[in-house]
Amino acid sequence: MADKPQPTYLKDYVPYPFEVERLDLEFDLEPHHTRVLSRARYKRKEHVDVEEPLRLNGAGQTLLSLSLDGTPLTALDYRCQDSGLVLPNVPNAFELTVVTEIDPEANKALEGLYLSSGNFCTQCEAQGFRRITYFPDRPDVMTRYTTTIRADKQRFPVLLSNGNLVEQCDLDDGRHLTRWEDPFFKPSYLFALVAGDLVCQEDAFTTMSGREVLLQIYVEARNADKCDHAMLSLKKAMAWDEQRFGFEYDLDRFMIVAVDDFNMGAMENKGLNVFNSKYVLARPETATDDDFLNIESVVGHEYFHNWTGNRITCRDWFQLSLKEGLTVFRDQEFSADMNSAAVKRIEEVRILQSHQFAEDSGPMAHPVRPESYVEINNFYTMTVYSKGAELIRMMQTLLGRDGFMAGIRLYVQRHDGQAVTTDDFVAAMEDASGVDLDQFRRWYSQAGTPVIHVEQHYDGERQQLTLDVTQSCPATPGQPDKQPFHIPLRLALLGPDGTPQPLHLVNESGQQGAEELVLSVTAARQKFCFEQVGEGCVVSLLRDFSAPVKLTMNTSRDELAFLMAHDNDAFNRWNASQRLAGGLLLDLVDRVRKGQKLILEPMFVEAFRTSLLDEQTDPSLLALALALPLESFLAEQMEEIDPQAIFTAREFVRHEVAVQLKDDFLTVYRRCADSGPYEVTPQAVGQRRLKNLCLGYLAALAPQDNMIWQMILEQFSTGRNMTDVSAALGLLADHDNRDSRHALDTFYATWKEDPLVVEKWLGIQARSRREDCLEQVERLMGTPAFNLHNPNKVRSLIGVFCQGNSVRFHAADGSGYDFLRRQVALIDPFNPQIAARLVAPLLRWPRYDDTRSALMKQALEQLQAKTTLSADLYEMVSKGLDQNKKG
């Protein structure tokens, strides 16, 4: 591109030289010509040079006027520089009034103020506020906001902003006005405005101090019947946050608005959360079990930000995990308490292992606290969010629940109302607990996934078990060498009957005889010796996934089968099943590549049958344990990824298990059928998960097995909830026949007016195993069901195909790569955030065979050759190309 974007570095951080004592905003809303007046009171900080100019950020707006203390400024009084304004020679204290005009209708980047379905909406994180007015748009500039909104009352009867409503009235010209005051200091990224023709569902919540808070969810009228679950989730989250953390809500009202056009999942703007509609709207006919659970989680997440993100925010964007990692941990704990803790933990780890570990081994690998970025939007990543949450969880493991909560209390006491760093958070944990976390801080500054290798040696004569533990971490961009991490390794020993054994660690005085210990692995190599260990004990290691590491250990398949059947740690039971299945699958992948005959070991089938027929275990846990390892997880285990071989091996296992266990699958499927009212309880969700897992295996026999095919058709046509209907439709969509086409057409005809259900329909077809899947995706792009300007539609069709359909995306002829290149090039000019996220699969090119890697690299080179790449996409493409083919 013409001007190469320059990186921003953490080491260059300098505090903003001015305080902003208050900010008054006035909006006169019109779709194409919105006028914004901002009046800010600035004060130079002590010890700041009087020669220091005032620097303001700004983009995508027309400057109408600028005045200082009431005196109009001319072009000679300021200069445009680096997408903003610079005002030299300003006094130590002054009021600056800026009047700008913006065009929300034309804003397809969905940053700043834009229109969604005819309603005004904002998205200011990370740097969208600068598209609204000229202002120091950085998280460490915090002030109190007053927002006045004027708009046509008939077109925009609802006018919302942050804080408390202090005035509303009708104006003479058919317009009306509302004024909002937020009494709490906040940065510009937490500003929000919504205006439109919306309906409201109201409720109330009484806080632990006895204050009544008004709760409001605003949606379009057609969605008024889909808010109950989100409202219930909000009330649960508010009560849980008081009980678990002692955090009470602080405003008179809490508002949620659902919009269809949104780049993210949701946004925690103070008192006015703006949500992607998929994380608010639900009823059983239109939403799956996962939708219901995700809504509960995301509503909780955004509400929990009120204290961990809003009251205390991040000093700079390098500290993003300060708020996101901590709040993800909090929403995980909330979901665990509301549902099944074991299921929730396994689901978190599945995502981490299949997606974040891949991020750690790719060109965009970065520490939880990055050292630099070209475009901050590219760092809203699994590393910052999910791995960041694991760092919080590890601190709770190392400090204990009481020590961790003492650290949280000290953190809030010290920093309420401030913009701080991850170091400030860790310091509060240290000071409250007395535990030295200096080495632990490396988790924030070093990228990559550590590898823990454990060799176990048993001395039967002495009854001693020695674990020889080594840790290492692969090189990542800019970090060729890593220092040892502080890794909490949770451990137990199981006797021959599965009973946890007392642990006696040599040279360790505390916790002798406990059934579980947390070992602190702090050196590149350490040995841990246990005494009084009887014959036949099996080590259960990394229990509850106590650290985000890859574990390798000389564990036999018989021992994995034992852990799968007997481990009292639910995560490790699941992990044993995945390691057992993963090892067998990788062996089969190798046989596929060598052209050898595929054989499924009887031991695996028998272990599978035993678990399948277990009526005592949580059915959700069974469904997770019996699901084959994800293709993306298997790919991470390979030096050179072969997507076709992975697909072939998985399909072989799926078919063979279905053939040998057909009657067992039918028995469990019928046992799990439900006839009562739809409920989102752990038991009901688990039964549907297990039932649909059975149907998914049985579908490997269809359509040749007509009985099974008719079962799938019957579930599709008679299913009483979207969970069952969409599961059946997904199995039908794998085939091209009259029944499948009729089902897909019927489903669309029924739900074509519901955008969220249409997105499910698009995703089902994008994930199809059909060999002509790409042709179907391109056909769907030309139908009214798709809209390239709507992020949800793009993610549902293009995103699912390129990131969720590995075998078809990675077609050997490179057609999938060329398709993705073309779509990214189309989207980048109007929505760089979405384009940059879509391109990610191509960045993995060095991991594939020569033919595929050359085609993937070529697609990136063609994108790089464009002269108008956004900074977002430029960073991804350039880092993707700055790699060498491995091997």
Side-chain angles (χ1 to χ4, degrees):
M1 52 191 297
D3 297 316
K4 180 178 177 180
Q6 297 303 305
T8 301
Y9 294 96
L10 172 60
K11 63 182 176 60
D12 293 336
Y13 171 81
V14 176
Y16 194 66
F18 294 87
E19 294 177 0
V20 183
E21 296 180 325
R22 72 169 191 273
L23 177 62
D24 297 324
L25 295 168
E26 296 184 22
F27 290 83
D28 285 287
L29 297 177
E30 291 290 350
H32 283 291
H33 304 285
T34 287
R35 188 182 179 95
V36 183
L37 181 149
S38 71
R39 187 180 297 109
R41 186 72 188 172
Y42 291 91
K43 181 180 178 181
R44 192 184 305 273
K45 293 179 180 177
E46 292 184 15
H47 311 303
V48 170
D49 192 325
V50 294
E51 299 296 319
E52 184 72 31
L54 179 73
R55 301 177 189 274
L56 306 176
N57 303 113
Q61 59 196 287
T62 301
L63 179 63
L64 300 181
S65 68
L66 194 64
S67 59
L68 193 150
D69 288 333
T71 302
L73 302 180
T74 69
L76 298 176
D77 299 313
Y78 62 88
R79 63 182 184 271
C80 295
Q81 180 177 309
D82 296 330
S83 300
L85 300 178
V86 179
L87 283 73
N89 306 317
V90 294
N92 288 335
F94 58 94
E95 184 175 87
L96 186 71
T97 303
V98 183
V99 181
T100 59
E101 185 176 272
I102 53 180
D103 185 352
E105 180 77 61
N107 183 358
K108 303 305 180 185
L110 311 184
E111 292 182 278
L113 180 66
Y114 64 93
L115 258 71
S116 170
S117 304
N119 299 310
F120 287 96
C121 179
T122 57
Q123 172 56 33
C124 293
E125 187 177 359
Q127 297 177 336
F129 191 77
R130 63 190 60 188
R131 294 174 174 266
I132 294 173
T133 188
Y134 287 96
F135 189 75
D137 186 17
R138 44 190 285 172
D140 60 344
V141 176
M142 303 174 70
T143 190
R144 289 193 175 97
Y145 285 65
T146 298
T147 306
T148 302
I149 311 170
R150 304 180 190 90
D152 182 275
K153 186 172 183 178
Q154 185 173 357
R155 287 185 297 165
F156 309 105
V158 172
L159 306 177
L160 308 174
S161 191
N162 310 87
N164 297 318
L165 179 64
V166 295
E167 183 182 355
Q168 56 182 339
C169 63
D170 291 339
L171 304 175
D172 294 336
D173 53 358
R175 296 166 75 78
H176 67 138
L177 170 152
T178 62
R179 181 169 289 115
W180 299 80
E181 285 186 359
D182 189 345
F184 296 96
F185 282 86
K186 68 172 181 281
S188 54
Y189 83 85
L190 289 174
F191 172 77
L193 179 152
V194 172
D197 188 4
L198 304 168
V199 298
C200 177
Q201 177 173 324
E202 292 190 351
D203 207 328
F205 179 82
T206 302
T207 70
M208 58 186 179
S209 68
R211 289 189 309 106
E212 185 168 287
V213 178
L214 175 64
L215 308 179
Q216 297 177 310
I217 298 180
Y218 288 90
V219 297
E220 294 178 46
R222 62 186 171 83
N223 294 321
D225 62 339
K226 301 174 186 173
C227 302
D228 290 350
H229 181 68
M231 183 65 81
L232 178 62
S233 299
L234 175 58
K235 294 171 74 173
K236 286 181 178 179
M238 296 178 80
W240 181 87
D241 213 17
E242 290 183 347
Q243 294 160 9
R244 172 70 189 273
F245 284 91
F247 293 158
E248 181 177 351
Y249 188 62
D250 49 12
L251 290 170
D252 296 339
R253 68 175 70 198
F254 185 88
M255 298 170 283
I256 288 174
V257 179
V259 297
D260 286 341
D261 302 293
F262 207 64
N263 284 338
M264 299 183 177
M267 180 59 210
E268 71 267 19
N269 319 294
K270 182 71 177 184
L272 177 57
N273 285 190
V274 180
F275 274 63
N276 189 316
S277 56
K278 71 179 293 185
Y279 294 114
V280 172
L281 307 176
R283 55 189 176 91
E285 296 81 6
T286 62
T288 65
D289 292 342
D290 287 341
D291 291 330
F292 277 93
L293 294 172
N294 287 337
I295 287 169
E296 182 179 76
S297 174
V298 175
V299 167
H301 179 96
E302 304 307 331
Y303 173 76
F304 300 146
H305 264 310
N306 186 60
W307 279 92
T308 53
N310 296 3
R311 288 284 288 259
I312 306 176
T313 194
C314 45
R315 186 195 71 179
D316 53 74
W317 289 119
F318 298 100
Q319 318 296 330
L320 181 58
S321 194
L322 176 86
K323 71 183 186 79
E324 295 301 347
L326 176 55
T327 305
V328 168
F329 168 77
R330 279 160 38 74
D331 84 53
Q332 291 173 350
E333 294 286 275
F334 167 64
S335 295
D337 285 349
M338 294 301 106
N339 303 286
S340 165
V343 170
K344 178 63 178 171
R345 186 63 183 142
I346 291 167
E347 290 173 339
E348 293 156 9
V349 176
R350 285 183 81 193
I351 294 171
L352 199 78
Q353 290 179 332
S354 58
H355 294 89
Q356 194 280 319
F357 283 9
E359 193 170 273
D360 261 349
S361 63
M364 290 296 291
H366 59 276
V368 171
R369 185 192 59 214
E371 297 296 323
S372 68
Y373 60 78
V374 171
E375 173 51 62
I376 184 54
N377 289 326
N378 288 338
F379 284 83
Y380 282 74
T381 60
M382 292 289 297
T383 298
V384 165
Y385 280 67
S386 297
K387 187 173 181 179
E390 293 300 312
L391 270 57
I392 304 298
R393 187 177 298 276
M394 282 192 289
M395 278 188 266
Q396 179 174 259
T397 299
L398 290 168
L399 307 183
R401 179 90 165 243
D402 291 343
F404 176 77
M405 288 307 301
I408 289 287
R409 288 190 291 271
L410 182 59
Y411 171 66
V412 171
Q413 178 186 329
R414 282 180 176 175
H415 300 298
D416 188 10
Q418 298 177 11
V420 299
T421 68
T422 56
D423 280 333
D424 293 318
F425 180 83
V426 177
M429 289 289 152
E430 284 182 313
D431 294 346
S433 66
V435 176
D436 182 357
L437 295 174
D438 187 58
Q439 184 176 350
F440 183 84
R441 284 177 168 84
R442 290 174 185 165
W443 282 102
Y444 281 102
S445 60
Q446 294 187 156
T449 303
V451 177
I452 294 287
H453 180 69
V454 180
E455 291 284 347
Q456 50 183 326
H457 308 281
Y458 180 66
D459 184 335
E461 189 173 317
R462 295 186 177 183
Q463 289 198 316
Q464 286 187 339
L465 175 69
T466 301
L467 300 181
D468 191 346
V469 181
T470 58
Q471 64 161 298
S472 60
C473 189
T476 53
Q479 292 187 339
D481 301 308
K482 309 294 173 69
Q483 296 297 309
F485 292 84
H486 184 176
I487 299 173
L489 198 58
R490 195 185 298 274
L491 167 145
L493 288 176
L494 305 181
D497 62 351
T499 304
Q501 303 297 294
L503 295 168
H504 301 279
L505 185 59
V506 175
N507 299 324
E508 177 65 46
S509 58
Q511 293 187 300
Q512 293 292 352
E515 293 183 351
E516 186 177 77
L517 285 178
V518 175
L519 306 177
S520 279
V521 179
T522 56
R525 183 173 183 180
Q526 283 174 263
K527 289 188 177 182
F528 300 92
C529 182
F530 295 90
E531 298 179 304
Q532 303 176 38
V533 179
E535 292 276 358
C537 285
V538 177
V539 180
S540 172
L541 204 58
L542 198 64
R543 291 163 69 82
D544 201 40
F545 201 65
S546 57
V549 301
K550 293 181 179 178
L551 173 66
T552 64
M553 188 175 177
N554 55 333
T555 307
S556 69
R557 287 182 175 173
D558 286 341
E559 288 174 319
L560 288 174
F562 174 85
L563 292 170
M564 182 178 170
H566 297 291
D567 202 324
N568 64 339
D569 181 84
F571 167 79
N572 264 11
R573 286 189 69 179
W574 170 81
N575 193 44
S577 73
Q578 296 296 287
R579 289 173 65 190
L580 183 60
L584 291 168
L585 277 163
L586 289 171
D587 288 346
L588 289 170
V589 168
D590 188 53
R591 296 181 72 86
V592 170
R593 301 182 79 179
K594 293 176 179 176
Q596 297 174 345
K597 183 179 180 180
L598 303 186
I599 301 172
L600 187 58
E601 290 188 18
M603 176 269 293
F604 176 77
V605 177
E606 204 48 49
F608 194 109
R609 174 186 280 114
T610 300
S611 293
L612 177 64
L613 299 179
D614 179 355
E615 296 187 43
Q616 305 305 313
T617 299
D618 178 346
S620 280
L621 287 175
L622 284 183
L624 286 167
L626 297 174
L628 295 177
L630 299 172
E631 290 176 60
S632 54
F633 174 78
L634 294 170
E636 273 304 293
Q637 317 308 310
M638 301 179 67
E639 284 295 320
E640 183 179 276
I641 301 170
D642 187 333
Q644 182 63 58
I646 293 172
F647 176 79
T648 300
R650 286 183 89 254
E651 287 300 284
F652 167 76
V653 173
R654 178 169 166 255
H655 182 270
E656 284 303 299
V657 169
V659 168
Q660 296 187 46
L661 302 182
K662 176 182 175 179
D663 291 342
D664 297 313
F665 280 124
L666 288 169
T667 297
V668 176
Y669 176 84
R670 290 162 181 154
R671 189 182 75 220
C672 290
D674 61 332
S675 56
Y678 178 83
E679 295 180 320
V680 193
T681 61
Q683 183 65 23
V685 169
Q687 284 191 305
R688 283 188 289 272
R689 282 177 170 166
L690 188 55
K691 176 181 70 175
N692 287 316
L693 174 119
C694 292
L695 191 64
Y697 275 102
L698 289 168
L701 307 178
Q704 291 80 8
D705 187 321
N706 188 60
M707 183 193 77
I708 301 300
W709 185 250
Q710 293 303 317
M711 279 177 56
I712 300 171
L713 287 170
E714 182 180 0
Q715 178 166 312
F716 169 74
S717 59
T718 64
R720 296 177 300 110
N721 57 74
M722 182 55 69
T723 302
D724 288 344
V725 171
S726 62
L729 185 62
L731 299 173
L732 296 173
D734 285 337
H735 304 277
D736 182 16
N737 57 39
R738 185 175 61 182
D739 288 339
S740 298
R741 290 191 292 271
H742 177 70
L744 286 165
D745 291 345
T746 300
F747 188 88
Y748 180 71
T750 303
W751 298 109
K752 63 183 179 180
E753 301 303 325
D754 190 313
L756 295 181
V757 182
V758 170
E759 287 154 22
K760 289 179 173 58
W761 181 76
L762 293 171
I764 283 169
Q765 294 172 86
R767 199 176 283 111
S768 168
R769 292 180 170 90
R770 288 173 51 170
E771 291 188 4
D772 65 345
C773 184
L774 177 55
E775 296 173 28
Q776 297 303 312
V777 168
E778 294 192 281
R779 180 186 65 79
L780 288 166
M781 289 183 65
T783 68
F786 184 76
N787 178 358
L788 196 66
H789 287 87
N790 179 270
N792 280 4
K793 297 290 192 297
V794 170
R795 285 185 285 254
S796 296
L797 189 61
I798 301 172
V800 168
F801 174 75
C802 297
Q803 298 180 34
N805 194 340
S806 179
V807 68
R808 302 307 173 211
F809 172 66
H810 288 290
D813 63 359
S815 54
Y817 312 145
D818 186 63
F819 167 75
L820 178 55
R821 176 193 61 79
R822 288 184 280 115
Q823 307 319 314
V824 167
L826 285 172
I827 294 169
D828 187 50
F830 63 84
N831 196 328
Q833 282 190 50
I834 298 301
R837 290 170 190 166
L838 278 179
V839 81
L842 293 176
L843 308 188
R844 306 278 289 162
W845 66 267
R847 294 289 305 279
Y848 290 83
D849 60 86
D850 290 345
T851 300
R852 287 186 173 89
S853 65
L855 291 168
M856 295 168 80
K857 186 179 181 184
Q858 181 183 67
L860 289 173
E861 289 169 340
Q862 289 174 328
L863 284 171
Q864 190 183 51
K866 290 175 63 67
T867 58
T868 55
L869 285 191
S870 67
D872 307 58
L873 186 57
Y874 169 82
E875 180 173 27
M876 301 288 280
V877 170
S878 60
K879 287 185 176 179
L881 287 171
D882 190 23
Q883 303 176 88
N884 296 314
K885 173 75 172 157
K886 295 180 174 61

